[in-house]
Amino acid sequence: MDYSPSGKETDDITKPLLQRVNGDKVEKAPVCCSSRYGLALLASYGFFVAYTLRVNLSVAMVDMVSAKESANAGSSHCPRPGPELTEREHKGSLYDWDSEMQGWILGSFFYGYILMQIPGGYLARKHGAKWLLGLGILCTAIFTLVTPLAAELGAGYLIAVRVLEGVGEGVTFPAMHSMWASWAPPLERSRLLTISYTGAQLGTVVALPLSGYLCYYLDWTYVFYVFGVVGVLWFILWTALVSDTPDTHKRISEMERLYIARSLTEEVSPSMDAIPWSSIFSSLPLWAIIVAHFSYNWTFYTLLTLLPTYMNTVLGFSIQQNGLLSALPYLGSWVLALLGGQLADYLREACLFSTVAVRKAFTIIGMVGPAVFLVAAAHTGCDYTAAVGFLTISSGLGGFSSSGFNINHLDIAPSYAGILLGITNTFATIPGMVGPVIARAMTPHNTIEEWQTVFYISAAINVFGAAFYTLFGKGVVQPWAASKLPSHRS
């Protein structure tokens, strides 16, 4: 049972079919063919596109750099597990970018990405998230299509295009969080948000191997042409089928609209309210999310941008093997994130676990677990099976954090969720900017010992972030975010 401010017990709303809001029974709208789960699937497709556009360069880079520069960086320190499938003629242009320049190119995306985090949350709250998110990904797709031309003009032009791609994608997560504040019933948040955001892992799973095969059988330019077109197609579907709120959706049932509206009655404040900036930035629960988000992303972005390089220069995998094996860790993350979302809401709804307990437990599993297996991967030497296996388990366990700190913004301040995610993602983007540069600077010869240091640092940062969040994270709407206490379990 929950308790009202007066100390009296209130009716539990965690019953599977009925919810009670302000004394009124509200029937839970079905999941099948619902508009809210339709939004989750289209959002998942959107984040699938966003991450294919983000990570394709990681694989293409292996095929864009001249053999001379690869040799300067050091050949593979492990015997290659197998030859190329067939001999091939390299068709794409080659560039003399050294290890440091590669690090700057791979990290340049995040310089644009960080600029739009807080503005993205603010603009989504003020003007609506649908067009902001849609145009953001469309712009990224268009700049992806011109990436081969930019590379041909020079590294400076390529960096500029990647920065602009980052600007386009910078609004995506804050905008989507803002939209879910109007669409996601409290006891379905873990499910809905993990469905939508795990499109990012699925995009990585598809983009890495497909990029490898496109490089091998065609040339690296097709990596950008194919994924750019896919992004444009998503934009057409998004604009035709999605609405900012349930009230403006043309095909939503009255039952579902009423269910969503009443479930959010006591949480979401009017959009014209002044934003309590001082309270937001002085909120310790928010800083707990910031630290956890920063720490998790240090490992995530380091592997996202450099795992294909590690697979090639240390473990010796060919361009075809590289993309497929680099994708395995994200396949594990996608599967466990989806399962974790179902489990998190089940624990809250059926087992009556408090929100904060679920968020902290999933954060610990999703950050400490990956740290342990990342350190293990650092000690596998040239054991290819163990290295790929430990990296897959590490990233897979990280999927649990999708139901931990990653959606905690909606628990502590649903009215300002987009802005809060913009703030936390601003800090969490810093690892994407500096992580690849630092990692490449620490691995000039691509030795196993150099990469061990990179893995140790990432693991230590992960553990620190999990500990900080466990100490200071909260699961209730904060006083500055709502005038009423939420009726769902804290």
Side-chain angles (χ1 to χ4, degrees), residues 183-459:
W183 274 96
L187 291 177
E188 294 185 55
R189 279 178 184 155
S190 299
R191 296 186 185 99
L192 288 168
L193 270 73
T194 52
I195 290 172
S196 59
Y197 292 146
T198 51
Q201 283 97 338
L202 185 59
T204 306
V205 168
V206 172
L208 290 174
L210 183 55
S211 295
Y213 284 110
L214 287 173
C215 286
Y216 183 80
Y217 290 107
L218 299 172
D219 66 63
W220 61 262
T221 61
Y222 285 88
V223 171
F224 304 101
Y225 297 145
V226 169
F227 293 123
V229 170
V230 171
V232 173
L233 293 177
W234 168 84
F235 174 76
I236 296 172
L237 292 175
W238 179 259
T239 55
L241 300 176
V242 168
S243 297
D244 278 309
T245 66
D247 288 336
T248 59
H249 199 285
K250 296 179 181 178
R251 293 169 298 280
I252 191 172
S253 69
E254 182 62 17
M255 177 184 178
E256 183 179 12
R257 187 195 65 76
L258 185 63
Y259 163 60
I260 295 173
R262 291 191 175 180
S263 70
L264 297 173
T265 298
E266 297 184 350
E267 290 203 343
V268 180
S269 62
S271 61
M272 67 283 298
D273 285 358
I275 299 172
W277 292 108
S278 61
S279 296
I280 288 175
F281 280 103
S282 61
S283 172
L284 189 57
L286 175 61
W287 280 100
I289 302 174
I290 289 173
V291 173
H293 203 168
F294 175 95
S295 302
Y296 176 84
N297 273 19
W298 186 281
T299 298
F300 179 79
Y301 282 139
T302 298
L303 291 181
L304 186 69
T305 54
L306 295 179
L307 191 55
T309 299
Y310 176 77
M311 291 285 190
N312 177 254
T313 60
V314 176
L315 297 182
F317 290 111
S318 67
I319 188 68
Q320 310 103 302
Q321 298 165 320
N322 194 330
L324 180 61
L325 294 173
S326 295
L328 284 179
Y330 302 101
L331 178 61
S333 180
W334 174 63
V335 171
L336 290 185
L338 285 176
L339 294 177
Q342 299 295 318
L343 178 59
D345 278 345
Y346 174 79
L347 291 174
R348 296 170 66 219
E349 186 173 2
C351 301
L352 306 184
F353 279 64
S354 68
T355 299
V356 69
V358 171
R359 300 290 181 243
K360 290 182 177 181
F362 278 64
T363 297
I364 291 172
I365 296 171
M367 294 184 71
V368 176
V372 171
F373 284 95
L374 196 59
V375 171
H379 289 277
T380 57
C382 291
D383 186 336
Y384 313 109
T385 302
V388 174
F390 286 147
L391 287 171
T392 299
I393 295 172
S394 176
S395 291
L397 290 175
F400 280 106
S401 66
S402 296
S403 298
F405 74 86
N406 205 36
I407 61 174
N408 194 212
H409 318 75
L410 281 159
D411 299 321
I412 67 172
S415 296
Y416 309 105
I419 293 174
L420 263 59
L421 182 63
I423 293 171
T424 65
N425 221 14
T426 297
F427 288 92
T429 301
I430 295 173
M433 297 165 61
V434 303
V437 177
I438 292 174
R440 291 306 283 143
M442 295 175 64
T443 56
H445 304 102
N446 285 312
T447 65
I448 291 178
E449 291 75 19
E450 290 172 346
W451 279 96
Q452 282 178 341
T453 303
V454 172
F455 289 167
Y456 291 155
I457 292 173
S458 296

Side-chain angles (χ1 to χ4, degrees), residues 87-157:
E87 293 298 326
R88 65 167 180 146
E89 178 184 354
H90 196 291
K91 299 177 182 178
S93 299
L94 293 172
Y95 306 102
D96 294 329
W97 298 330
D98 60 19
S99 178
E100 183 179 359
M101 178 57 72
Q102 293 174 49
W104 282 108
I105 292 172
L106 290 170
S108 59
F109 173 93
F110 300 100
Y111 286 88
Y113 189 73
I114 197 172
L115 293 176
M116 294 305 298
Q117 294 303 308
I118 296 177
Y122 176 78
L123 291 172
R125 175 180 168 83
K126 188 172 183 178
H127 300 293
K130 171 185 173 178
W131 286 103
L132 184 65
L133 193 155
L135 291 173
I137 294 182
L138 176 64
C139 290
T140 306
I142 292 173
F143 283 117
T144 297
L145 289 170
V146 302
T147 296
L149 175 61
E152 196 66 28
L153 292 173
Y157 288 92

